Amino acid sequence: MVEDTDQKLSKRQYDLTVIVAEEMASANLPDIFIHLQPEKYPCVEFLICSGNDDASLNGVPDNQNVRLIRARSDSRIPMLWRDGIRAARADKVALTTAHCVPSQTWIKQLLAYPLEGEQVAVGGAIENVENDTTIGRVIYLLRYVRYTRARPGGRADDLAADNALYRKADILAHEDLLEIGFWEPSFHERFLAEGKRMTFDNDLVVVHRNCYSTKQFIHQRFSHGIEFGMARAKVMNAPRRLMMIALSPLIPVVFTRKIMAAARRDKQFNLGLNRDMFWLLVFVLAWSIGETVGYAKKQETQS
């Protein structure tokens, strides 16, 4: 593994850069790289973006096409993706996190997508690991229930960046958004407004394998909510931000209803919703409070 500070890094161009954002999930890295097999893909660059202070991050192979991008210890996943996108040497970037283990065909599938013309992104399905814990199952429901393999493939208005391929140039064209991290909903809105096209492919699969503790995920939801609120507020005018603050008590209601509606469409989740509802509500409230704080902070900076 080569660190980004090494002056001897090759300047070669790659066909694809894979960016793995590692946040409290280093335990999954050995299995992730068993599936990625970087030694078999010299045309692919692999970047591990992490704020982990572990000197080596066990499980990351020592290959010329594998690099570690160091970040601040408090960097969240969107900021880690941002750092990886800026450091990438390929024109196409594939994003994921260390909480997701890719399928063994993932790299081959990514290399096959041309991303030409108005096609700016392809996103894939996220399945949950079998026999998961209650917390892992609820985190999956909260974050990925809309992106199971049961979702039909085709043109899409939204994708999960935890399993998605983008043209790097289209991301870099929106530096005002990238400055505060790669928050995919804001970028997707821009892409669609520009007439670009995104596609969901339910055969492009990663498996969610949660590593967060309950306390870590509550803190992660709250801090992510703050950052998301500030990112959204950045592209809003003052009246719109004030309206979002006023409507903030509805955020958990709207959020929970969306999750439950998506779960009902995929019958494998129906039995688990009642049992897991308490933790689902806790996590939704943590995010909602954080998002409201984010809107308010941005409003204060504009006053």
Side-chain angles (χ1 to χ4, degrees), residues 128 132-141 208 210 212 283:
N128 201 32
D132 201 359
T133 64
T134 297
I135 296 304
R137 186 169 58 248
V138 174
I139 289 173
Y140 179 81
L141 283 169
H208 172 252
N210 173 61
Y212 292 114
F283 296 151

Side-chain angles (χ1 to χ4, degrees), residues 20-25 48-55 57 68-77 79-80 83:
V20 181
E22 189 283 313
E23 181 189 68
M24 305 178 194
I48 303 89
C49 302
S50 176
N52 193 328
D53 59 5
D54 184 346
L57 288 177
L68 174 61
I69 306 295
R70 293 289 186 184
R72 286 174 35 176
S73 60
D74 60 348
S75 294
R76 294 302 186 188
I77 287 172
M79 279 62 76
L80 298 174
D83 294 347

Side-chain angles (χ1 to χ4, degrees), residues 117-121 155-157 167 169-170 173-174 188 190-198:
E118 298 305 316
Q119 182 74 37
V120 67
R155 195 158 183 164
D157 291 338
R167 275 199 311 242
D170 292 271
H174 300 287
H188 294 168
R190 289 276 183 93
F191 295 156
L192 295 174
E194 294 169 342
K196 294 187 169 69
R197 186 171 68 253
M198 303 190 301

Side-chain angles (χ1 to χ4, degrees), residues 135-183:
I135 296 304
R137 186 169 58 248
V138 174
I139 289 173
Y140 179 81
L141 283 169
L142 179 66
R143 301 182 69 183
Y144 305 123
V145 69
R146 292 178 298 166
Y147 308 104
T148 71
R149 295 196 72 178
R151 174 176 170 172
R155 195 158 183 164
D157 291 338
D158 73 313
L159 305 169
D162 308 61
N163 180 19
L165 176 71
Y166 297 90
R167 275 199 311 242
K168 183 179 70 174
D170 292 271
I171 296 174
L172 296 180
H174 300 287
E175 180 59 32
D176 61 316
L177 298 179
L178 192 61
E179 179 185 0
I180 53 177
F182 185 77
W183 294 92

